[in-house]
Amino acid sequence: MKLMRVGPLGQEKPALQDKDGKIRDLSGHVTDIGGSAISPEGLAKIAALDPASLPEISAERIGACVAGTGKFICIGLNYSDHAAETGAQVPPEPVIFMKATSAICGPNDDVLIPRGSQKTDWEVELGVVIGKTAKYVSEADAMDYVAGYCVSHDVSERAFQTERAGQWTKGKSCDTFGPIGPWLVTKDEIADPQNLGMWLKVNGQTMQNGSSKTMVYGVAHLVSYLSQFMSLHPGDVISTGTPPGVGLGMKPQRFLKAGDVVELGIEGLGSQKQTFKADV
């Protein structure tokens, strides 16, 4: 299933996209796409519905594909070819950092370049959405806790991230730096999350053209690994790293400015399009 949230910011309705591309209103059956609605039982109830019986609605705006995200967890340097382009070593264990949930926005919302930014960068990433509470789970059982996947844009301000004192969080958490969606695609629709084409364009020019097959630590490993340190809850999002082609790795380096348009997508998970604007 392709689950989504549509409507003005703060007033999104739960919905699904049917096989004909029509958007169907789920608000008569679930309160939102999150919490118990994305548990295995909740997803089974939605799957049992006849999409044709649901009201068709328009989607002038698509919101973030999941509601109630308590943790937005990111994995750094998780693609061997991306680590190489930045001159970094592949880490012996996953590099974990947090992105503030206040950064989350819709997949086609404008992205705001923060005041003082000099190095706002792009990163297409595979997002993993947790469907039930995971704590101390094994890698063999880890996929049982995944509700589905989404496109995640880990927008980053590199100077804030690495050139100022402290950790990476402040370079990752600016408002609108976390577009997710358009859909939460349930895991049954994705045969192999470790073999998905990924791409990103800036002003029509391809910058990233990679695949999740070069991911160092795969989805099952990450879910299990993270659950050893913290409980994962329904609606939590894991952004799993990016393939090569980011502005930081270019020679000369290239960063985003007001007026730039970024388009990105992942095979089977849809695409996003954002205009970057100065946050005044």
Side-chain angles (χ1 to χ4, degrees), residues 56-169:
E56 185 179 352
I57 55 175
S58 61
E60 294 184 7
R61 175 184 177 272
I62 301 174
C65 62
V66 62
T69 297
K71 292 188 288 297
F72 197 166
I73 308 166
C74 298
I75 309 299
L77 301 173
N78 195 33
Y79 281 66
S80 55
D81 38 9
H82 171 58
E85 77 168 341
T86 60
Q89 296 292 320
V90 173
E93 295 187 33
V95 173
I96 302 169
F97 62 93
M98 295 291 193
K99 201 174 185 84
T101 56
S102 55
I104 293 173
C105 65
N108 303 318
D109 290 347
D110 292 338
V111 173
L112 301 177
I113 298 174
R115 292 181 184 178
S117 169
Q118 298 295 320
K119 298 183 178 181
T120 294
D121 203 352
W122 57 83
E123 294 188 18
V124 59
E125 304 202 0
L126 172 65
V128 178
V129 181
I130 298 299
K132 66 176 183 177
T133 300
K135 185 174 183 178
Y136 301 130
V137 303
S138 69
E139 188 167 339
D141 294 334
M143 299 305 290
D144 294 341
Y145 297 83
V146 173
Y149 307 98
C150 65
V151 180
S152 174
H153 190 180
D154 179 20
V155 186
S156 308
E157 210 300 335
R158 302 300 190 184
F160 294 0
Q161 178 187 351
T162 63
E163 297 175 19
R164 299 176 66 170
Q167 299 178 335
W168 290 3
T169 303

Side-chain angles (χ1 to χ4, degrees), residues 212-244:
S212 61
K213 67 185 178 184
T214 66
M215 197 182 287
V216 178
Y217 300 106
V219 172
H221 181 87
L222 291 173
V223 172
S224 173
Y225 182 83
L226 290 168
S227 78
Q228 309 307 310
F229 305 101
M230 65 192 85
S231 295
L232 303 175
H233 297 121
D236 285 353
V237 176
I238 306 168
S239 202
T240 57
T242 196

